[in-house]
Amino acid sequence: MDPSGTNHDHEEDDSGEVFLNEEDILHEMNVDDEELPEADEDDLGSDRAGADFEYNDEDDSMHTFTGHTGELYAVVCSPTDPSLVATGGGDDKGFLWRIGQGDWAFELQGHNDSLSTLVFSNDGLLLASGSLDGVIKVWDMPSGNLRCTLDGPAGGIEWLRWHPRGHLLLAGSEDSTLWMWNADKGAYLNMFTGHASSVTCGDFTPDGKTICSGSDDATLRVWNPQTGDTLHVVRGHPYHTEGLTCMAMKTGSAGSTLAITGSKDGSVHIVNINTGKVVTSLIAHLDPAHPETAHSDSVECVGFAPSSLWAATGGLDQKLIIWDLDHSVPRSVCDHPDGVTCLTWIGSSRYVATGCLDGKVRVWDSLSGQCARTFSGHLDAIQALAASANLDFIVSSSLDGTARVFEIHELK
């Protein structure tokens, strides 16, 4: 349009439609009908996962696994085979596949509900897959065969963990119980009861002698794995006021008695497992001059740094916070454009990776608090992250139905 009202010599037919004169044509291009691409439904817009995201053809991944037909919830990398990855999701399927081999996949068949969690044993010989129907399957990695099927919980499996030095498998369930089996024999060992709501997180201690579990009932429980007895119950002030969402154990002999937990209430606490006492509370009142450095929404992921007394926490308040646990203060606050759903420290390096609701994977330098890399490619929220055994790759699973592999070897 020309707001100046200048008269342009355009022809106009009786219906009022305007046509260009020949002198207005800059360039003619012959287009063969056969060269025109067919319209794709996804390009035209659909109700698939990720349709609310702005279209962006930027993809930093070096490999994309597309074997699933639904949302992905879990991804794990083998601790011994740098190329081996397992994924599970809402299509009731799990797959084993290899980085760089897009056509290689072994389906973990037999589940009748969404695969919510996957975990390799520490020696890499077994893989356990847990489903929302309460069933767990254990797979033999050398052969790919099903080793055993474990059941018992009346609710969905929230998480699975292997004993640090054996094939004992621990599971937390939506029915408020924990279960433990000997996977080599396919034998039930113990059930742990006491929580009043879904058991949302848990693990063995690094020495394998104790079990910790967190629940939506806002408590942390410490258990004797042999007897099933409760050793400690952590609850009430100064602990969480709402349900626990995540937990991590400090590895290494110096800090093997510490657990860090995050909650829907936005608080983070460090507990001494031996005594059952809260030793540090990483919340706003510790730094009243800078309350913005504490989480203001649900904490979704926590993790101790492998080589220092630091910790990382991520929340729906769009923050990753690196904490100096010696002084119980934030070392740096790493802002995201959307909520942080998962994190993983990259080996013993200073880098920590985050997955975000905006579909991006970011790698942060914990020393400077600066973002070292941002990886694009996903079209919906990231649900889980895992680093390959050789730390050359980070693998992400997303609600967009894909798992993507990003190169990080330069950050080791």
Side-chain angles (χ1 to χ4, degrees):
M1 294 180 63
D2 182 18
S4 66
T6 304
N7 182 31
H8 291 278
D9 190 18
H10 292 162
E11 294 182 0
E12 186 171 328
D13 69 359
D14 294 336
S15 66
E17 295 185 34
V18 177
F19 296 89
L20 295 175
N21 291 322
E22 287 188 7
E23 58 268 22
D24 293 321
I25 299 174
L26 299 179
H27 178 66
E28 287 188 356
M29 206 167 39
N30 293 322
V31 179
D32 189 275
D33 288 342
E34 295 181 357
E35 296 177 354
L36 292 174
E38 294 183 3
D40 187 272
E41 289 185 3
D42 284 344
D43 293 336
L44 297 176
S46 69
D47 59 357
R48 58 159 296 191
D52 291 336
F53 279 55
E54 292 184 8
Y55 177 74
N56 187 348
D57 60 0
E58 183 180 1
D59 187 356
D60 299 313
S61 62
M62 56 81 61
H63 180 88
T64 303
F65 181 70
T66 58
H68 289 274
T69 58
E71 299 176 338
L72 266 67
Y73 303 136
V75 61
V76 287
C77 293
S78 166
T80 56
D81 185 337
S83 68
L84 188 61
V85 181
T87 50
D91 56 2
D92 305 350
K93 295 179 180 178
F95 286 100
L96 280 167
W97 49 276
R98 292 192 179 277
I99 295 172
Q101 298 182 27
D103 57 349
W104 187 92
F106 174 81
E107 185 176 344
L108 307 174
Q109 298 180 335
H111 283 289
N112 296 314
D113 207 336
S114 298
L115 262 72
S116 52
T117 181
L118 292 156
V119 63
F120 281 101
S121 60
N122 291 290
D123 57 13
L125 296 178
L126 299 178
L127 172 70
S129 55
S131 172
L132 292 183
D133 61 5
V135 174
I136 298 161
K137 294 183 178 293
V138 179
W139 310 85
D140 181 80
M141 287 298 95
S143 67
N145 295 328
L146 178 66
R147 171 73 66 91
C148 60
T149 298
L150 308 172
D151 55 20
I157 304 301
E158 290 272 5
W159 51 269
L160 295 167
R161 294 291 185 273
W162 289 100
H163 191 278
R165 290 189 295 275
H167 290 167
L168 302 184
L169 184 63
L170 183 67
S173 172
E174 290 178 332
D175 71 356
S176 76
T177 64
L178 292 87
W179 294 68
M180 187 170 65
W181 300 267
N182 182 323
D184 287 330
K185 300 179 180 179
Y188 160 83
L189 295 178
N190 221 332
M191 181 177 69
F192 306 84
T193 60
H195 282 299
S197 189
S198 178
V199 185
T200 54
C201 50
D203 205 348
F204 291 98
T205 53
D207 61 10
K209 297 179 179 179
T210 311
I211 291 170
C212 288
S213 62
S215 169
D216 205 34
D217 65 7
T219 70
L220 178 77
R221 285 180 177 261
V222 182
W223 311 84
N224 182 321
Q226 294 182 328
T227 65
D229 294 337
T230 300
L231 302 177
H232 303 290
V233 181
V234 187
R235 61 182 161 203
H237 184 76
Y239 203 51
H240 301 294
T241 59
E242 295 183 48
L244 276 67
T245 56
C246 48
M247 188 195 79
M249 308 293 298
K250 179 64 178 173
T251 59
S253 58
S256 61
T257 59
L258 297 180
I260 183 171
T261 57
S263 165
K264 295 176 181 177
D265 64 9
S267 66
V268 179
H269 299 280
I270 308 259
V271 175
N272 184 313
I273 298 160
N274 289 340
T275 64
K277 302 296 184 182
V278 176
V279 295
T280 304
S281 295
L282 306 177
I283 51 179
H285 74 256
L286 291 176
D287 190 6
H290 301 282
E292 71 278 1
T293 57
H295 287 291
S296 59
D297 203 341
S298 178
V299 176
E300 296 295 300
C301 45
V302 295
F304 284 107
S307 56
S308 64
L309 199 57
W310 291 1
T313 60
L316 295 183
D317 59 355
Q318 308 175 11
K319 294 177 184 176
L320 167 75
I321 302 180
I322 309 296
W323 300 90
D324 177 350
L325 300 182
D326 277 331
H327 304 93
S328 300
V329 296
R331 180 178 178 89
S332 57
V333 179
C334 309
D335 291 321
H336 293 64
D338 212 331
V340 179
T341 58
C342 49
L343 66 82
T344 184
W345 287 89
I346 300 176
S348 58
S349 76
R350 67 180 189 267
Y351 295 102
V352 59
T354 57
C356 187
L357 290 176
D358 68 357
K360 299 288 197 300
V361 174
R362 295 174 175 85
V363 180
W364 302 84
D365 186 332
S366 63
L367 295 179
S368 67
Q370 299 300 308
C371 185
R373 291 292 304 272
T374 298
F375 295 112
S376 300
H378 284 295
L379 299 177
D380 210 334
I382 308 295
Q383 292 293 290
L385 292 173
S388 63
N390 59 4
L391 304 181
D392 282 345
F393 309 102
I394 193 164
V395 188
S396 54
S397 62
S398 168
L399 295 182
D400 67 6
T402 69
R404 294 179 183 268
V405 181
F406 303 100
E407 292 184 275
I408 57 168
H409 57 85
E410 74 279 6
L411 299 175
K412 288 191 294 185

